[in-house]
Amino acid sequence: EAGVAQSPRYKIIEKRQSVAFWCNPISGHATLYWYQQILGQGPKLLIQFQNNGVVDDSQLPKDRFSAERLKGVDSTLKIQPAKLEDSAVYLCASSLVERDSGELFFGEGSRLTVL
Amino acid sequence: GNSVTQMEGPVTLSEEAFLTINCTYTATGYPSLFWYVQYPGEGLQLLLKATKADDKGSNKGFEATYRKETTSFHLEKGSVQVSDSAVYFCAFHNQAGTALIFGKGTTLSVSS
């Protein structure tokens, strides 16, 4: 079974530029999550999708961050314009709602450096 | 609000030493509890889990017991190896299909 795929793995941009990250979840997983992991901290949820609908985006800085999940499969997370404090690893995860434990499966992440 | 508190790191041990990483949580209802591990250069992966009180999760020699009375889920291993060097995250969610809430992580460094 293929895991969660993310790209790009690394991205360096200057502040005020824009960037987009892509995620392909495990086949059949209806729920998709984007997390932000700042160095030295635990992952923090940005947005959760159920199929192509948003379940929770309460911690997404909507003035600069946006995300979509067209057709309920792949997802894209965009930052525009980027700030220095957006430097972090952006993690995508997916899960099967039907599983009792609700285990999340994570991709390897996209590391963003904002200069 | 919902939160996870983990012991501060880094934790530095010699090979074959006993490991404990403390984790307590604040949650509503009956959460499911998890330990995730992040090896250098790799993504987060599930280490073990427990879904109800008094359950013991175990994997790769690691164990953690769901203690509802103390809202704790401490991670233990009797004899650590150099290959266990990684960052360990305690996490929970209140029901399947909801996002995990993570602690800040504890870095473990094991030397031979």
Side-chain angles (χ1 to χ4, degrees):
Chain A
E1 177 180 83
V4 176
Q6 290 189 246
S7 67
R9 289 293 310 278
Y10 305 93
K11 189 73 176 179
I12 300 174
I13 61 174
E14 296 191 349
K15 60 183 178 182
R16 291 187 290 274
Q17 289 187 323
S18 63
V19 63
F21 302 112
W22 172 84
C23 172
N24 183 243
I26 292 173
S27 178
H29 282 197
T31 308
L32 184 147
Y33 312 79
W34 283 101
Y35 281 84
Q36 180 192 57
Q37 185 177 15
I38 293 173
L39 186 64
Q41 298 183 21
K44 183 187 83 171
L45 179 72
L46 291 175
I47 189 167
Q48 176 185 347
F49 292 94
Q50 177 73 22
N51 295 309
N52 61 349
V54 175
V55 174
D56 182 357
D57 65 354
S58 58
Q59 299 187 80
L60 186 73
K62 298 179 185 65
D63 57 335
R64 298 182 300 105
F65 286 64
S66 64
E68 60 182 9
R69 191 183 185 197
L70 300 176
K71 302 180 182 178
V73 181
D74 294 6
S75 177
T76 303
L77 176 71
K78 296 179 181 177
I79 308 174
Q80 181 179 14
K83 292 185 174 182
L84 296 178
E85 59 261 35
D86 298 332
S87 294
V89 177
Y90 291 86
L91 298 168
C92 181
S94 67
S95 70
L96 269 173
V97 177
E98 292 77 15
R99 288 184 65 145
D100 289 343
S101 69
E103 173 187 348
L104 269 61
F105 297 83
F106 284 85
E108 293 186 325
S110 295
R111 182 178 297 277
L112 173 66
T113 302
V114 182
L115 303 176
Chain B
N2 295 325
S3 65
V4 176
T5 302
Q6 283 183 241
M7 64 185 286
E8 297 271 337
V11 175
T12 303
L13 296 173
S14 297
E15 206 165 23
E16 299 183 5
F18 184 84
L19 168 71
T20 300
I21 300 178
N22 291 336
C23 171
T24 58
Y25 63 91
T26 301
T28 56
Y30 301 93
S32 293
L33 307 176
F34 302 80
W35 277 99
Y36 276 77
V37 60
Q38 191 169 37
Y39 297 104
E42 298 184 17
L44 278 166
Q45 53 187 278
L46 179 68
L47 179 60
L48 53 83
K49 63 188 178 187
T51 58
K52 59 183 187 294
D54 300 323
D55 270 1
K56 177 183 285 187
S58 62
N59 186 26
K60 300 181 180 180
F62 290 88
E63 294 182 339
T65 300
Y66 188 143
R67 300 290 188 197
K68 187 165 177 61
E69 65 276 12
T70 55
T71 62
S72 65
F73 193 53
H74 304 321
L75 183 67
E76 297 182 336
K77 186 173 186 180
S79 177
V80 294
Q81 305 300 311
V82 172
S83 56
D84 294 326
S85 298
V87 183
Y88 293 82
F89 292 91
C90 185
F92 77 92
H93 62 53
N94 286 309
Q95 65 181 67
T98 61
L100 285 174
I101 296 169
F102 285 86
K104 292 185 176 181
T106 302
T107 299
L108 171 65
S109 179
V110 181
S111 57
S112 57

